[in-house]
């Protein structure tokens, strides 16, 4: 019987995933086209990208604070912003990520849930939820430590 841990171990050994992570972390030409990512594999890929970025940032801070002459490392944020086509996709990815990455901070930017050009009730809860996600988005971490949590922000195309 395969569990989440054994699936992660299988994925870590897969050369296709290693090549993809190397391309993402070393490339500066965005956007990148990554094909063949379907279902829950997308959530595993997001987790590995966040983890790789976090370790590269730790490496950069260690070499910056040491007296060794080392190559120039860039700080890479382990935070990720996902823009998905629909509210349904955003909910599914959010649930997958909460299952696969229980220690990550996952924020979903809620849509207004109204018809365009129709008035919205004053004092609606959604305004506070949206403001909360945006305030977390602009807050940046000052110090990167080994125990820092990755943050994932999920938006729909319409709300973005």
């Amino acid at each position: 019987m395969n569990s989440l841990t054994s699936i992660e171990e299988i994925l870590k050994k897969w050369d296709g995933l290693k090549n993809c992570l190397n391309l993402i972390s070393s490339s500066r030409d965005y956007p990148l086209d990554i094909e063949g990512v379907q279902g829950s594999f997308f959530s595993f890929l997001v987790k590995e990208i966040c983890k790789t970025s976090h370790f590269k940032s730790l490496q950069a801070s260690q070499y910056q604070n040491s007296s060794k002459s080392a190559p120039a490392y860039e700080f890479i944020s382990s935070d990720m912003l996902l823009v998905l086509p629909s509210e349904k996709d955003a909910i599914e990815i959010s649930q997958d990520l909460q299952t696969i990455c229980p220690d990550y901070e996952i924020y979903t930017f809620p849509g207004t849930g109204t018809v365009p050009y129709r008035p919205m009730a004053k004092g609606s809860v959604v305004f506070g939820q949206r403001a909360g996600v945006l305030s977390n988005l602009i807050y940046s971490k000052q110090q990167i430590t080994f125990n820092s949590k990755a943050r994932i922000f999920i938006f729909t195309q319409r709300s973005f």
Side-chain angles (χ1 to χ4, degrees):
M1 176 179 199
N2 285 339
S3 67
L4 286 178
T5 348
S6 63
I7 291 172
E8 285 187 31
E9 293 301 319
I10 292 168
L11 288 174
K12 286 179 186 176
K13 295 176 184 174
W14 183 37
D15 289 335
L17 181 62
K18 289 178 189 176
N19 294 338
C20 181
L21 292 173
N22 286 335
L23 177 68
I24 290 170
S25 63
S26 64
S27 178
R28 297 292 176 246
D29 299 327
Y30 291 102
L32 295 172
D33 285 332
I34 301 171
E35 298 177 355
V37 180
Q38 298 174 354
S40 294
F41 177 65
F42 180 76
S43 300
F44 283 104
L45 180 63
V46 167
K47 179 181 180 179
E48 290 302 318
I49 291 170
C50 289
K51 219 190 296 186
T52 302
S53 300
H54 182 72
F55 288 138
K56 287 192 177 276
S57 295
L58 280 175
Q59 189 178 36
S61 66
Q62 286 175 344
Y63 277 114
Q64 185 182 28
N65 295 332
S66 70
S67 61
K68 297 178 183 177
S69 60
Y73 286 94
E74 293 182 29
F75 284 98
I76 303 170
S77 175
S78 58
D79 296 346
M80 183 169 288
L81 179 96
L82 302 175
V83 180
L84 300 166
S86 69
E87 194 83 28
K88 180 182 177 243
D89 293 332
I91 291 169
E92 288 175 358
I93 293 297
S94 177
Q95 290 172 345
D96 280 354
L97 288 171
Q98 288 171 358
T99 302
I100 294 170
C101 322
D103 53 337
Y104 287 16
E105 295 176 19
I106 299 166
Y107 302 100
T108 303
F109 190 76
T112 55
T114 61
V115 179
Y117 308 109
R118 297 281 184 210
M120 188 172 209
K122 291 182 180 177
S124 180
V125 175
V126 75
F127 290 121
Q129 293 170 341
R130 291 167 68 107
V133 172
L134 291 174
S135 68
N136 284 318
L137 181 64
I138 62 172
Y139 169 74
S140 63
K141 300 174 199 161
Q142 300 299 325
Q143 181 78 16
I144 295 173
T145 64
F146 186 75
N147 294 326
S148 297
K149 294 181 180 181
R151 301 180 309 165
I152 300 173
F153 297 92
I154 302 171
F155 287 78
T156 62
Q157 287 177 343
R158 183 175 177 198
S159 65
F160 188 67

